[in-house]
Amino acid sequence: MEKATAQVDILRRDINLSDDQETLTPERVPAGTSHCTADPALQDAAIFSSVDPNMAHQAKLASSLASYVKKAEQYLYVLYAARSLSKAIPQLQSNNQPNKEKLYEESIRILQPEVDRMKYFLIFQEEAIQLVSEVIAFLAETYVKGKRETALIPDGVTSNLISLFGMLFTVDNLKNVKSAWSNDLSAYKRACSNLRRMDGINIQEQQKLIFFLGASRSQQTPLEAGNSTAYDLALKALRTVANWTLAILEQAAWKYAHPTDEYINRECPAGCTPYEKAVRYNYSRTERLAMIEVLAMIKDVQGQLDSMASLLVPEINTFIHHQVQAVVHGVFQPLLQHANKKKRREASRVLPGLVNMVSDLEVSLSAAAAAAHHQVHVPATKRDAKKMTRQAIIPDAAIALPVRKCGPTSTQLFYLQAALTQILHFESGGLLKAKDLSPQQTDALKSLMAQMLDFHDMLNFHRTLEQCTDLSSLWYKEFHLELAKEIQFPVEFSLPWILTTTGMTERGLHEHTLIPLELYNAAAQHALFKLKSQTLYNEIEAEVNLCFDQLMFHIGEQVFVNFKAKATSIMLAREAKESSVLQSHASSLDAYETSFHGLLNQRHVRLLGRSIDVNNLIEQGLDALMKRSIGMAIQVFEAEDIRSIVAFERALEIERLAHKFMSEHFSLTPFEDMLEEQNGSVNPASNHGRIEHKIIFELLSDLTANFAFDSATNEFFRPALVFADQQERDPATKISNVHMFGSKALAHAMQTLLDTTKRTFRVEHAAAVVRLVKPHNMGALINELSQTVGLALHTVVRPFVAELVKALFGEGLHWGGLMLVYLLGQRQAFDAFHYLQSWLNIVETGVVATTTSGNAASVGPIDLDEFASLAKKQCRLNTKIIDLFRAHYPLPDDRSNGRAGFCRPPRDRRDQGSYVPCPRELSQPNADTETSV
């Protein structure tokens, strides 16, 4: 065990499990770990019951009221989360159904717990009404009869009474709105009537429950809704965040009370539900953005206060302790001496016990002994009171108060508040008169009285912070579910998801995208610890699972598109130095990436009690998107001919560049591995991938068979006349240009640039082939190409030329050559490089070569004049032959000297009067043509 412990210590020392990334969501405080000092139920009130009988009775009333407020809150949660069980029970189809009795028995068994819960709720409400009656009677007796010694009531009683009134009113309204219990009670009554028995409930109780649940069925729209510096800072922070939370809740309440319609909001359809009118279509884009920013501020302050709680709570306790002790020893003790001197009987009776109860100093032996036995010593006579007063007063003016990081209990604060109330209300018959207090003492007591309004909340710092930031009501929609008779609404209606999608699509708010998810955390905690409903928690969890998957997909898609746009822009900068599209995107891309930076590095997002690595989830999505994008680029290449290989290589370069940028934030699969996976092998027997198989297939079956070579431009092009059959290619699956290049504008610019490379097959295309084909396959490719070309020359071209010469012409080679020149669109090249035409051009310039004797020049036996005459005849013959081809086989643009396609003349050519004799007709004696040189 020691060895294992030592190894763990070494791992902790050597391995850093934390990261330096800022957390965008606040840390959650584990349930049950927050320390609660103040207890509104005053459970320790019995210990101090002997201090003053009147205060003890008031403390008992306050304790009872607080207890019933808590019970009312529990029943409120039970009612809110109640779902009708009778709807899930199979209904009786007919009175003659054989299993009728068994069905009724099962109905009773299922509904009995709910009926018992209704009975307990009815009993609670009756007891609460009885308690309220007693308290009101006590208050009436106190104020009407005007007893001076009990004329003042502490705020703890009145505030708890008001809280109970509010809770009872809310619970009763909710009971009137919810129909679940009424439906279940009706089904229970029906089953009991048919079985003629009443298990656990008599007829009178049943009628009472029916009347109780059926009364006041009017529906109302609910609102779903130590160190003074450290203490002041914490109090100010709590008040500020509470005001922000209240602003959001008030806005939501106003929206619920003022739903929109199709006339106010044109996006609102006519047949939508009331909940859609109140939530989905009731918030403008500006309001949603403002709500997201306020939510971000709330959660930011909450996270900072949570992280500082370990420092703030001790200081808060120390400050409250010091304030109470300073007043007790600095004001109460002099007042006690003055009351004894002036014979203020009530003050002399109450103050000594109060000082002993609240004081943190051992001011008397009797007080110390009483504290040891959990009871406070109260003087029996005036002599004892004077003696105790003399012992309690500390003669030293500079009181050395102890510094303790523990605040007073709720009971101590209640008694102290009651005493301050009776001391400061002079006109109502308090313990002292106004002249008994100096201005400094009065100000000190009033200051403490005002501060005590916040002491209870500050002593429960974690719980108060949770209440001040509780926005769980923004998810709950039980009232509208009741109105619509629906089990649940679609996720698109949910306000947290609406805010999440708004933040996700708005530039500049990407770091706040996860903030609205905190509403799900609050709703889930409310469902488990307040409503105690597993059903509601399951609904929240299901919605979170669906929404979070969509959120991660959309974030990954946006990140992918952003980096694709950046890669495309850089590629455009390489290809086109000046691009308006590039200039318009350059300024926004870096800012867009920066706005994503904080979100991409989140590894510890708390959601429903789970720690989620957002970076890892986005990484998985980007990995899949990159593989799919590479596969789509290969598929687009497979759907086109070999001329698109340069565009394909550029697309792969964009993919590689985008992968490089993404790898700066994520641990993606290496690009070559992705390419190899998508390229794959065509079949198990072949070692060629999809890319190599496509290149080889296109070169052998299309380029060598259907393309012509232009020696002037040194490139292959597809001529108009194609002798081989066209290759059928499977069309590529339609893919968004945004996913390929990042945006529509960049896609248009890139496509325009790449289209210029798809017209011919040039040297750069051949270079792309060399780069894309693996080195060990290059020899096989060259060998297959040479064999294919050689085979075509011997088996296709050679027999065709031989048959052409043999069957068609007497000057077959001359006519066949000119036919090839015409059909291939090489008339201009033929005229430019034909030596006879060049000689005639020289003769036409007027330059005539002569000898020194004046006779015409000659070269050997060749007379130049005769040669010129024969050259003219040959050129005229060439022109007539080409005109003949043009008449019988006109090209689409009616040009014989350009790169035009071949098309046959219409069958009715003779009828149109444009018939030109064929070569055989031209060879007859009457034909006016030159047939030989």
Side-chain angles (χ1 to χ4, degrees):
M1 180 61 69
E2 295 179 356
K3 184 178 180 180
T5 304
Q7 291 178 350
V8 172
D9 293 337
I10 292 174
L11 290 175
R12 287 179 176 176
R13 183 182 69 245
D14 296 340
I15 300 178
N16 183 17
L17 299 179
S18 62
D19 52 51
D20 299 330
Q21 300 301 327
E22 181 183 0
T23 303
L24 299 181
T25 56
E27 295 290 335
R28 308 299 301 176
V29 179
T33 59
S34 60
H35 178 68
C36 181
T37 302
D39 175 27
L42 307 179
Q43 297 180 7
D44 57 346
I47 301 176
F48 308 103
S49 59
S50 59
V51 172
D52 181 71
N54 293 328
M55 290 185 182
H57 182 63
Q58 296 168 0
K60 182 179 178 181
L61 291 178
S63 176
S64 299
L65 290 171
S67 176
Y68 273 84
V69 168
K70 187 174 182 180
K71 290 182 181 179
E73 184 179 15
Q74 293 174 353
Y75 277 109
L76 176 68
Y77 297 150
V78 169
L79 269 173
Y80 188 83
R83 298 289 176 86
S84 179
L85 300 180
S86 59
K87 294 182 179 180
I89 299 176
Q91 301 297 319
L92 189 67
Q93 301 299 325
S94 65
N95 293 329
N96 299 326
Q97 190 169 333
N99 60 343
K100 178 174 66 174
E101 292 187 0
K102 184 178 180 180
L103 183 62
Y104 284 135
E105 289 177 355
E106 288 298 317
S107 300
I108 292 175
R109 184 183 64 81
I110 294 173
L111 295 174
Q112 187 65 52
E114 289 298 313
V115 175
D116 293 340
R117 193 174 288 112
M118 299 177 203
K119 288 168 51 181
Y120 299 146
F121 177 58
L122 175 60
I123 295 172
F124 156 76
Q125 195 169 36
E126 291 176 345
E127 292 177 351
I129 293 174
Q130 181 64 29
L131 176 62
V132 170
S133 301
E134 294 177 0
V135 174
I136 293 178
F138 169 75
L139 295 177
E141 181 183 0
T142 301
Y143 288 108
V144 173
K145 292 187 178 180
K147 296 182 178 179
R148 295 181 59 84
E149 63 274 11
T150 58
L152 297 174
I153 304 299
D155 292 339
V157 176
T158 55
S159 61
N160 286 345
L161 179 62
I162 295 172
S163 299
L164 182 57
F165 265 124
M167 289 302 298
L168 290 177
F169 178 78
T170 304
V171 169
D172 191 66
N173 280 341
L174 185 59
K175 180 258 298 180
N176 295 336
V177 171
K178 297 287 284 190
S179 60
W181 277 7
S182 299
N183 297 335
D184 291 349
L185 183 61
S186 299
Y188 181 83
K189 178 186 176 183
R190 184 166 54 252
C192 291
S193 300
N194 282 277
L195 291 180
R196 302 183 183 280
R197 75 181 194 190
M198 301 300 290
D199 294 347
I201 181 172
N202 55 37
I203 298 178
Q204 184 179 2
E205 289 179 340
Q206 187 184 83
Q207 296 297 331
K208 197 173 183 180
L209 274 178
I210 294 174
F211 178 76
F212 169 65
L213 294 178
S216 302
R217 294 300 298 175
S218 59
Q219 296 183 350
Q220 299 179 8
T221 304
L223 302 183
E224 292 189 20
N227 186 325
S228 61
T229 303
Y231 179 87
D232 294 339
L233 176 64
L235 181 59
K236 183 178 180 181
L238 288 176
R239 286 176 174 173
T240 301
V241 78
N243 289 333
W244 292 342
T245 303
L246 185 61
I248 292 181
L249 294 178
E250 287 178 345
Q251 183 193 35
W254 194 92
K255 294 292 185 181
Y256 282 123
H258 301 81
T260 188
D261 53 36
E262 60 271 20
Y263 305 104
I264 300 176
N265 185 358
R266 295 183 178 180
E267 297 180 358
C268 179
C272 62
T273 63
Y275 187 71
E276 289 182 275
K277 294 180 180 179
V279 176
R280 186 180 185 183
Y281 300 107
N282 210 10
Y283 289 87
S284 65
R285 174 179 170 274
T286 304
E287 290 173 334
R288 294 196 300 270
L289 295 178
M291 186 180 293
I292 293 174
E293 293 182 355
V294 175
L295 278 174
M297 293 191 297
I298 292 174
K299 296 306 176 182
D300 184 33
V301 174
Q302 180 186 5
Q304 294 186 30
L305 291 178
D306 273 333
S307 62
M308 297 170 57
S310 58
L311 301 175
L312 288 175
V313 171
E315 296 298 328
I316 291 172
N317 293 340
T318 301
F319 175 79
I320 295 177
H321 177 272
H322 180 270
Q323 293 297 103
V324 170
Q325 298 302 316
V327 171
V328 169
H329 294 287
V331 179
F332 277 13
Q333 287 185 358
L335 288 179
L336 182 58
Q337 183 181 12
H338 179 78
N340 186 53
K341 180 179 179 181
K342 296 296 183 179
K343 297 182 180 181
R344 302 285 189 260
R345 183 172 60 87
E346 287 299 320
S348 301
R349 182 179 63 83
V350 173
L351 290 180
L354 182 65
V355 171
N356 283 337
M357 181 185 74
V358 181
S359 175
D360 199 20
L361 296 174
E362 296 183 359
V363 295
S364 66
L365 294 176
S366 58
H373 292 84
H374 302 289
Q375 56 183 350
V376 180
H377 178 75
V378 178
T381 63
K382 291 184 178 181
R383 182 177 298 177
D384 292 339
K386 291 181 180 180
K387 181 179 179 181
M388 185 174 177
T389 301
R390 287 193 299 270
Q391 293 174 344
I393 296 176
I394 300 176
D396 190 2
I399 304 174
L401 298 176
V403 178
R404 301 190 189 279
K405 297 180 180 181
C406 178
T409 66
S410 295
T411 305
Q412 289 175 322
L413 290 177
F414 178 85
Y415 275 80
L416 184 59
Q417 190 177 30
L420 290 175
T421 302
Q422 296 192 22
I423 291 174
L424 292 176
H425 287 74
F426 312 114
E427 296 80 2
S428 302
L431 294 176
L432 297 172
K433 297 181 179 180
K435 62 181 181 181
D436 295 332
L437 279 74
S438 65
Q440 294 78 8
Q441 291 175 331
T442 303
D443 294 340
L445 293 180
K446 288 184 178 181
S447 176
L448 181 63
M449 189 74 172
Q451 288 179 331
M452 287 182 68
L453 298 175
D454 300 318
F455 281 176
H456 177 79
D457 293 327
M458 296 301 290
L459 289 172
N460 296 275
F461 183 77
H462 285 293
R463 188 177 68 184
T464 303
L465 178 60
E466 182 179 349
Q467 292 174 347
C468 290
T469 59
D470 183 17
L471 292 167
S472 59
S473 60
L474 296 180
W475 181 85
Y476 287 97
K477 39 193 170 287
E478 296 299 312
F479 173 73
H480 287 277
L481 288 174
E482 285 285 334
L483 292 181
K485 303 300 179 183
E486 296 286 346
I487 298 176
Q488 192 54 263
F489 292 127
V491 68
E492 292 81 7
F493 296 7
S494 179
L495 183 58
W497 177 242
I498 293 173
L499 296 178
T500 302
T501 54
T502 302
M504 178 177 56
T505 56
E506 188 70 20
R507 288 197 176 190
L509 287 180
H510 293 123
E511 291 196 355
H512 298 337
T513 301
L514 301 177
I515 293 298
L517 297 179
E518 285 296 313
L519 299 177
Y520 289 115
N521 286 332
Q525 187 170 0
H526 192 76
L528 289 178
F529 298 103
K530 296 295 182 63
L531 301 178
K532 302 186 185 301
S533 172
Q534 184 67 37
T535 302
L536 286 176
Y537 177 80
N538 292 340
E539 292 178 358
I540 297 170
E541 186 179 30
E543 183 174 324
V544 167
N545 291 336
L546 176 62
C547 294
F548 196 77
D549 289 344
Q550 295 184 20
L551 177 63
M552 291 297 102
F553 174 78
H554 287 300
I555 291 177
E557 196 174 46
Q558 289 189 9
V559 172
F560 178 78
V561 169
N562 177 66
F563 285 116
K564 264 303 191 65
K566 186 175 182 180
T568 305
S569 299
I570 293 178
M571 183 62 64
L572 279 173
R574 294 177 183 175
E575 302 292 338
K577 295 183 179 180
E578 293 183 1
S579 174
S580 59
V581 176
L582 177 63
Q583 294 173 1
S584 63
H585 280 75
S587 60
S588 61
L589 288 175
D590 292 336
Y592 195 58
E593 180 181 353
T594 304
S595 67
F596 267 117
H597 184 74
L599 178 63
L600 300 185
N601 294 298
Q602 292 302 304
R603 297 184 178 273
H604 310 290
V605 176
R606 301 287 180 178
L607 190 60
L608 300 189
R610 293 169 287 184
S611 179
I612 300 177
D613 189 346
V614 173
N615 180 275
N616 182 258
L617 294 178
I618 298 177
E619 175 185 300
Q620 296 175 12
L622 290 179
D623 216 69
L625 286 173
M626 276 299 305
K627 293 177 182 178
R628 179 172 176 265
S629 182
I630 294 173
M632 289 304 304
I634 297 176
Q635 189 176 0
V636 170
F637 174 55
E638 289 175 333
E640 299 179 345
D641 59 31
I642 193 63
R643 293 176 296 179
S644 65
I645 191 170
V646 174
F648 171 65
E649 190 180 30
R650 299 289 191 277
L652 285 185
E653 285 298 322
I654 292 176
E655 300 289 345
R656 183 178 282 106
L657 198 57
H659 181 277
K660 176 184 176 182
F661 294 145
M662 295 178 199
S663 298
E664 296 175 359
H665 303 276
F666 307 96
S667 301
L668 299 178
T669 304
F671 181 79
E672 298 302 328
D673 294 345
M674 288 185 179
L675 181 59
E676 189 68 24
E677 177 184 343
Q678 295 300 313
N679 189 19
S681 180
V682 178
N683 56 68
S686 173
N687 61 349
H688 297 324
R690 294 168 60 188
I691 299 175
E692 293 173 330
H693 183 270
K694 170 67 176 177
I695 291 174
I696 294 173
F697 175 79
E698 291 292 333
L699 289 177
L700 299 181
S701 63
D702 192 31
L703 183 68
T704 58
N706 300 323
F707 279 69
F709 182 72
D710 188 350
S711 59
T713 58
N714 200 24
E715 62 187 16
F716 287 91
F717 65 94
R718 186 182 294 276
L721 179 62
V722 178
F723 296 97
D725 295 335
Q726 292 293 323
Q727 300 295 332
E728 293 185 359
R729 303 175 178 86
D730 296 332
T733 304
K734 188 175 182 180
I735 185 171
S736 172
N737 288 328
V738 175
H739 285 81
M740 290 298 295
F741 302 109
S743 70
K744 291 183 179 180
L746 289 174
H748 177 72
M750 200 67 193
Q751 290 287 6
T752 303
L753 186 64
L754 295 179
D755 285 343
T756 60
T757 66
K758 297 181 180 180
R759 299 171 183 171
T760 58
F761 185 88
R762 299 190 293 268
V763 176
E764 60 175 331
H765 295 72
V769 170
V770 174
R771 288 190 292 267
L772 291 174
V773 175
K774 295 179 181 178
H776 64 272
N777 291 326
M778 184 58 66
L781 173 61
I782 296 175
N783 184 41
E784 291 185 12
L785 274 175
S786 62
Q787 291 180 359
T788 302
V789 173
L791 183 63
L793 289 174
H794 285 82
T795 61
V796 179
V797 178
R798 184 176 180 179
F800 174 76
V801 174
E803 290 295 328
L804 183 65
V805 172
K806 180 180 178 181
L808 295 179
F809 314 108
E811 294 88 7
L813 183 61
H814 184 200
W815 281 76
L818 288 176
M819 176 181 286
L820 292 177
V821 168
Y822 170 74
L823 294 178
L824 295 178
Q826 299 297 315
R827 171 69 184 276
Q828 288 182 345
F830 176 76
D831 291 341
F833 294 102
H834 193 255
Y835 71 95
L836 292 179
Q837 185 67 42
S838 300
W839 171 258
L840 292 176
N841 291 337
I842 294 174
V843 172
E844 290 176 357
T845 58
V847 179
V848 180
T850 59
T851 61
T852 57
S853 61
N855 298 324
S858 62
V859 179
I862 302 175
D863 188 291
L864 295 181
D865 291 336
E866 184 180 358
F867 180 80
S869 176
L870 294 175
K872 291 179 180 179
K873 292 181 179 181
Q874 181 64 46
C875 289
R876 286 198 300 269
L877 177 62
N878 292 344
T879 302
K880 290 182 178 181
I881 293 174
I882 291 177
D883 290 340
L884 178 66
F885 291 150
R886 184 165 52 186
H888 281 276
Y889 304 100
L891 302 180
D893 57 354
D894 196 26
R895 291 187 299 113
S896 61
N897 55 2
R899 292 178 183 172
F902 167 80
C903 66
R904 292 185 177 274
R907 292 184 178 180
D908 56 350
R909 193 79 175 197
R910 295 176 180 267
D911 299 335
Q912 294 176 359
S914 57
Y915 174 74
V916 179
C918 65
R920 293 187 182 274
E921 295 175 337
L922 293 175
S923 65
Q924 299 299 325
N926 295 331
D928 185 16
T929 182
E930 299 288 345
T931 60
S932 62
V933 179

